[in-house]
Amino acid sequence: MTGRLSRRGLTALALAAVLLVVSACQDTEAEPGAAASSQSQQPESQQPESQGPTPTASTPGTVSIDVTPKDKATKVSPAEGVQVKARSGRLGAVTVTDAAGQRVSGRLSADGTSWISEAPLKFATRYTVAVSAAEGAAEQRSTFTTVTPKKRVHTAVVPLNGETVGVGLPIQVSFNAPVTDRAAAERNLKVVSTPAVAGSWRWISDRKIRYRPQVYWPAGTKVTLKVGLRGVNLGRGVYGDEQREVSFTVGRSVVSVVDGKRLRMTVFVNGKPVRTIPVTMGKKGWETRNGVKVVLEKFPLKVMDGATLGIPKNSPEYYRLDVRWAVRMTWSGEFVHGAPWSTASQGTARVSHGCVGMSLENAQWYFGQSLRGDVIKVVNSPTTRTMELDNGFGDWNLSWQAWRAGSALR
């Protein structure tokens, strides 16, 4: 009995020794997970302070946004519009509203980094811009106020929208107030045509600008003038107030040559002579101007009164006539018209006060051919008088180089 008990005791002692060794190994060579678990059980006051992740473009609150106009800006030109850019990250919602809550339409870029308003703003209006980032940043808000102009400029345009015109008609834009920043106005008048045609603007005065091609418009050309002046600063507190398009079509080519020596008018249609007409022209002291003119307007019946030319009613030169088939070519009073009272002189003598007279039959035929803008070129009239630039449309009497020199963008 005593021997067996002694062996059991030895066995127990050996097991205890093994357990003691294993326990000691666990205390001195703990696994990392066990160490973290042990650390997490320390008092909260002893834990190290967390630093958080490094900020990136996708982290809320780190997107940098630029808004133009700047916050609290005043006297902003409506033409400048609103631009929003994200210098890091992408834009989320962008809203621009006026004081009444009406939204301004805009377009977000494909990559989501910029937004731009699509139409000019209103004058004298306070706007609020609210922007958020796609990454969830807090909304950014700003305000600005547009300018109150001293004068709002409107325009009158020749030709009319939808009109069919002759190959020599320039585009004319007239302003209801003087334009001092001509370059700003010109940059916002765009002409596009099919087929494409080389052309240029020229300022006639501070209230009038005209556009003509290098040569006559090709027959059949489709032309559109885009007036984008709304909100544009034209100088000295004057702002444009229009955004519109005017489209017109060029008809067939009708160019007439009036020869003051032969007293004949030859009409060319699409480059081919179709009729030569005996005419009379301005007599001495009233000679018809030389140069290129264009048809300005037409009247089946026109009362012509010498008083409009400054002729006194008691003068032997005075006249007052009912004139048929009158086609105006200058504002000063030159017409192509029917003149049955001068039939004997047509083709042989100059007896008019500057007009080109012909038989009623020929006048009616020519009237039917004519469109506003058809070309009438007078040559060999015995005078030094030539067609003035603004006595109608004398544009074609300038060389292309001289015409282009009148642009504010050259």
Side-chain angles (χ1 to χ4, degrees):
M1 293 290 293
T2 304
R4 286 196 290 269
L5 288 172
S6 297
R7 284 193 296 272
R8 291 174 181 170
L10 289 172
T11 301
L13 289 173
L15 289 171
V18 172
L19 291 172
L20 181 60
V21 171
V22 173
S23 177
C25 290
Q26 288 176 338
D27 287 343
T28 58
E29 298 180 14
E31 296 178 3
S37 176
S38 175
Q39 185 180 31
S40 67
Q41 294 175 7
Q42 296 178 15
E44 188 174 328
S45 61
Q46 296 179 15
Q47 295 186 36
E49 185 175 342
S50 174
Q51 299 300 314
T54 302
T56 65
S58 62
T59 302
T62 64
V63 178
S64 180
I65 297 174
D66 292 331
V67 178
T68 303
K70 294 181 179 180
D71 187 26
K72 297 181 175 58
T74 59
K75 299 181 181 180
V76 173
S77 170
E80 293 178 14
V82 180
Q83 296 184 29
V84 181
K85 293 183 179 180
R87 282 189 279 140
S88 60
R90 295 178 298 110
L91 297 172
V94 178
T95 58
V96 180
T97 53
D98 61 19
Q102 184 175 355
R103 284 195 177 192
V104 176
S105 62
R107 181 179 67 256
L108 185 67
S109 64
D111 61 5
T113 62
S114 65
W115 182 96
I116 187 170
S117 56
E118 293 183 312
L121 307 173
K122 302 173 186 176
F123 289 109
T125 301
R126 184 176 183 271
Y127 287 94
T128 299
V129 184
V131 186
S132 63
E135 289 77 11
E139 185 178 78
Q140 176 177 318
R141 298 176 69 87
S142 62
T143 62
F144 66 91
T145 305
T146 53
V147 70
T148 300
K150 293 180 180 178
K151 178 77 174 180
R152 299 187 186 189
V153 171
H154 297 273
T155 62
V157 175
V158 173
L160 300 176
N161 190 50
E163 186 175 359
T164 299
V165 304
V167 298
L169 190 68
I171 299 172
Q172 177 173 282
V173 179
S174 301
F175 304 88
N176 68 328
V179 173
T180 54
D181 191 340
R182 295 184 176 186
E186 197 171 328
R187 277 193 294 267
N188 290 279
L189 298 171
K190 306 294 185 182
V191 178
V192 294
S193 67
T194 304
V197 176
S200 175
W201 291 100
R202 178 186 177 85
W203 287 88
I204 308 302
S205 70
D206 60 3
R207 291 174 179 254
K208 187 185 298 181
I209 186 174
R210 292 208 288 260
Y211 180 98
R212 54 154 269 208
Q214 185 173 357
V215 295
Y216 300 145
W217 297 103
T221 302
K222 307 291 185 181
V223 187
T224 297
L225 166 67
K226 299 180 180 181
V227 179
L229 293 173
R230 186 180 299 159
V232 175
N233 186 350
L234 302 178
R236 299 182 181 177
V238 173
Y239 284 78
D241 198 21
E242 285 183 329
Q243 202 85 0
R244 61 177 172 143
E245 293 186 0
V246 176
S247 297
F248 62 95
T249 301
V250 180
R252 62 179 180 169
S253 172
V254 178
V255 177
S256 302
V257 178
V258 180
D259 189 332
K261 184 175 182 180
R262 296 177 57 242
L263 290 176
R264 296 288 189 276
M265 183 173 93
T266 303
V267 181
F268 296 82
V269 177
N270 291 330
K272 297 180 179 180
V274 296
R275 183 174 291 202
T276 297
I277 301 170
V279 298
T280 185
M281 295 172 64
K283 60 187 176 181
K284 187 174 182 179
W286 298 94
E287 292 90 349
T288 309
R289 292 167 176 80
N290 284 301
V292 181
K293 310 162 191 182
V294 305
V295 172
L296 301 175
E297 55 186 352
K298 305 192 307 179
F299 304 91
L301 179 64
K302 174 76 172 174
V303 176
M304 294 189 178
D305 192 330
T308 62
L309 299 179
I311 301 174
K313 290 185 177 182
N314 59 358
S315 168
E317 294 290 340
Y318 178 76
Y319 60 89
R320 182 180 173 86
L321 299 168
D322 292 336
V323 178
R324 299 295 305 276
W325 315 119
V327 177
R328 183 189 288 274
M329 55 183 173
T330 72
W331 296 126
S332 61
E334 292 182 359
F335 287 79
V336 176
H337 62 76
W341 54 85
S342 65
T343 300
S345 298
Q346 293 165 14
T348 60
R350 291 179 288 273
V351 298
S352 80
H353 289 83
C355 291
V356 175
M358 59 186 66
S359 71
L360 286 177
E361 178 187 356
N362 283 325
Q364 184 175 9
W365 176 86
Y366 178 70
F367 185 95
Q369 301 296 311
S370 298
L371 294 172
R372 179 158 67 154
D374 283 347
V375 176
I376 304 170
K377 184 177 182 180
V378 177
V379 298
N380 298 324
S381 181
T383 180
T384 57
R385 288 203 309 171
T386 57
M387 177 61 179
E388 303 90 344
L389 179 62
D390 204 27
N391 187 10
F393 295 118
D395 307 24
W396 302 103
N397 297 287
L398 294 181
S399 70
W400 180 236
Q401 181 179 4
W403 178 263
R404 294 177 72 223
S407 167
L409 301 180
R410 301 297 177 187

Coordinates of all heavy atoms in Angstrom, one line a residue, residues 127-157:
Y127 N -29.4 87.5 -55.3 CA -29.4 86.1 -55.5 C -28.8 85.4 -54.3 O -27.8 85.9 -53.7 CB -28.7 85.7 -56.8 CG -29.5 86.1 -58.0 CD1 -29.3 87.3 -58.7 CD2 -30.4 85.2 -58.5 CE1 -30.0 87.6 -59.8 CE2 -31.1 85.5 -59.7 CZ -30.9 86.7 -60.3 OH -31.6 87.0 -61.5
T128 N -29.2 84.2 -54.0 CA -28.6 83.3 -53.0 C -28.1 82.0 -53.7 O -28.9 81.4 -54.5 CB -29.6 82.9 -51.9 OG1 -30.1 84.1 -51.3 CG2 -29.0 82.0 -50.9
V129 N -26.9 81.7 -53.4 CA -26.3 80.5 -54.0 C -26.1 79.5 -52.9 O -25.5 79.8 -51.8 CB -24.9 80.8 -54.6 CG1 -24.4 79.5 -55.3 CG2 -25.1 81.9 -55.7
A130 N -26.7 78.3 -53.0 CA -26.5 77.2 -52.0 C -25.8 76.0 -52.7 O -26.3 75.5 -53.7 CB -27.9 76.8 -51.4
V131 N -24.7 75.5 -52.1 CA -23.9 74.5 -52.7 C -23.6 73.4 -51.7 O -23.2 73.8 -50.5 CB -22.6 75.0 -53.3 CG1 -21.9 73.9 -54.1 CG2 -22.8 76.2 -54.2
S132 N -23.7 72.2 -52.1 CA -23.2 71.1 -51.2 C -22.4 70.2 -52.1 O -22.4 70.2 -53.3 CB -24.4 70.3 -50.6 OG -25.2 69.7 -51.7
A133 N -21.5 69.4 -51.4 CA -20.6 68.5 -52.1 C -21.2 67.1 -52.2 O -22.0 66.7 -51.3 CB -19.3 68.4 -51.4
A134 N -20.9 66.3 -53.2 CA -21.4 65.0 -53.3 C -21.0 64.1 -52.2 O -21.7 63.1 -51.8 CB -20.9 64.4 -54.7
E135 N -19.8 64.4 -51.5 CA -19.3 63.6 -50.4 C -20.0 63.9 -49.1 O -19.7 63.3 -48.1 CB -17.8 63.9 -50.3 CG -17.0 63.3 -51.4 CD -17.1 64.1 -52.7 OE1 -17.6 65.3 -52.6 OE2 -16.6 63.7 -53.7
G136 N -21.0 64.8 -49.1 CA -21.8 65.0 -47.9 C -21.3 66.1 -47.1 O -21.7 66.2 -45.9
A137 N -20.5 67.1 -47.6 CA -20.1 68.2 -46.8 C -21.3 69.1 -46.5 O -22.3 69.1 -47.1 CB -19.0 69.0 -47.6
A138 N -21.1 69.9 -45.4 CA -22.1 70.9 -45.1 C -22.4 71.8 -46.2 O -21.5 72.2 -46.9 CB -21.7 71.6 -43.8
E139 N -23.6 72.3 -46.3 CA -24.0 73.2 -47.4 C -23.3 74.6 -47.2 O -23.1 75.1 -46.1 CB -25.5 73.5 -47.3 CG -26.0 74.3 -48.5 CD -27.5 74.5 -48.5 OE1 -28.0 75.3 -47.6 OE2 -28.2 73.8 -49.2
Q140 N -22.8 75.1 -48.3 CA -22.2 76.4 -48.4 C -23.1 77.4 -49.0 O -23.6 77.2 -50.1 CB -20.9 76.3 -49.1 CG -20.1 77.7 -49.3 CD -18.8 77.5 -50.0 OE1 -18.1 76.5 -49.8 NE2 -18.5 78.4 -51.0
R141 N -23.3 78.6 -48.4 CA -24.3 79.6 -48.9 C -23.5 80.9 -49.1 O -22.7 81.3 -48.3 CB -25.4 79.8 -48.0 CG -26.3 78.5 -47.8 CD -27.4 78.7 -46.7 NE -28.4 79.6 -47.2 CZ -29.5 79.2 -47.9 NH1 -29.6 77.9 -48.2 NH2 -30.4 80.0 -48.3
S142 N -24.0 81.6 -50.1 CA -23.5 83.0 -50.4 C -24.5 83.8 -51.1 O -25.5 83.2 -51.6 CB -22.2 83.0 -51.2 OG -22.4 82.4 -52.5
T143 N -24.4 85.1 -51.1 CA -25.3 86.0 -51.7 C -24.6 87.0 -52.6 O -23.4 87.4 -52.3 CB -26.2 86.7 -50.7 OG1 -25.4 87.5 -49.9 CG2 -27.0 85.7 -49.9
F144 N -25.3 87.6 -53.6 CA -24.7 88.7 -54.3 C -25.9 89.5 -54.9 O -27.0 89.0 -55.0 CB -23.8 88.2 -55.4 CG -24.4 87.4 -56.5 CD1 -24.9 88.0 -57.7 CD2 -24.5 86.0 -56.4 CE1 -25.5 87.3 -58.7 CE2 -25.1 85.3 -57.4 CZ -25.6 85.9 -58.5
T145 N -25.6 90.7 -55.4 CA -26.7 91.5 -56.0 C -26.2 92.1 -57.3 O -25.1 92.5 -57.5 CB -27.0 92.7 -55.0 OG1 -27.3 92.3 -53.7 CG2 -28.1 93.6 -55.6
T146 N -27.1 92.0 -58.3 CA -26.8 92.5 -59.6 C -27.0 94.0 -59.8 O -27.7 94.6 -59.0 CB -27.6 91.8 -60.7 OG1 -29.0 91.9 -60.4 CG2 -27.3 90.3 -60.8
V147 N -26.4 94.6 -60.8 CA -26.3 96.0 -61.0 C -27.7 96.6 -61.4 O -28.5 95.9 -62.0 CB -25.3 96.3 -62.1 CG1 -25.7 95.9 -63.4 CG2 -24.9 97.8 -62.1
T148 N -27.9 97.8 -61.0 CA -29.0 98.6 -61.5 C -28.5 99.5 -62.6 O -27.8 100.5 -62.3 CB -29.7 99.4 -60.3 OG1 -30.1 98.5 -59.3 CG2 -30.8 100.2 -60.8
P149 N -28.9 99.3 -63.8 CA -28.3 100.1 -64.9 C -28.9 101.5 -65.0 O -30.0 101.7 -64.6 CB -28.7 99.3 -66.2 CG -29.9 98.6 -65.8 CD -29.8 98.2 -64.3
K150 N -28.1 102.4 -65.5 CA -28.6 103.8 -65.8 C -29.5 103.8 -67.0 O -30.5 104.5 -67.1 CB -27.4 104.7 -66.0 CG -26.5 105.0 -64.8 CD -25.4 105.9 -65.2 CE -24.5 106.2 -64.0 NZ -23.4 107.1 -64.3
K151 N -29.2 102.9 -68.0 CA -30.0 102.8 -69.2 C -30.0 101.4 -69.7 O -28.9 100.7 -69.7 CB -29.4 103.7 -70.3 CG -30.1 103.7 -71.6 CD -31.4 104.5 -71.6 CE -32.1 104.6 -72.9 NZ -33.3 105.3 -72.9
R152 N -31.1 100.8 -70.1 CA -31.2 99.5 -70.7 C -31.3 99.7 -72.2 O -32.2 100.4 -72.7 CB -32.4 98.7 -70.1 CG -32.3 98.5 -68.7 CD -33.4 97.6 -68.2 NE -33.5 97.5 -66.8 CZ -34.2 96.6 -66.1 NH1 -35.0 95.8 -66.8 NH2 -34.2 96.5 -64.8
V153 N -30.4 99.1 -72.9 CA -30.4 99.2 -74.4 C -31.1 98.2 -75.1 O -31.0 97.0 -74.9 CB -28.9 99.3 -74.9 CG1 -28.8 99.2 -76.4 CG2 -28.2 100.5 -74.3
H154 N -32.0 98.6 -76.1 CA -32.7 97.7 -77.0 C -32.2 97.9 -78.4 O -31.5 99.0 -78.7 CB -34.2 97.9 -76.9 CG -34.7 97.7 -75.5 ND1 -35.1 96.4 -75.1 CD2 -34.9 98.5 -74.4 CE1 -35.6 96.4 -73.9 NE2 -35.5 97.7 -73.4
T155 N -32.5 97.0 -79.3 CA -32.0 97.1 -80.6 C -33.1 97.0 -81.7 O -34.1 96.4 -81.4 CB -30.9 96.0 -80.9 OG1 -31.6 94.7 -80.7 CG2 -29.7 96.1 -79.9
A156 N -32.8 97.5 -82.8 CA -33.6 97.3 -84.0 C -32.7 96.7 -85.0 O -31.6 97.1 -85.2 CB -34.2 98.6 -84.5
V157 N -33.2 95.6 -85.7 CA -32.4 94.8 -86.6 C -32.9 94.9 -88.0 O -34.1 94.7 -88.2 CB -32.2 93.4 -86.1 CG1 -31.4 92.5 -87.1 CG2 -31.5 93.4 -84.7

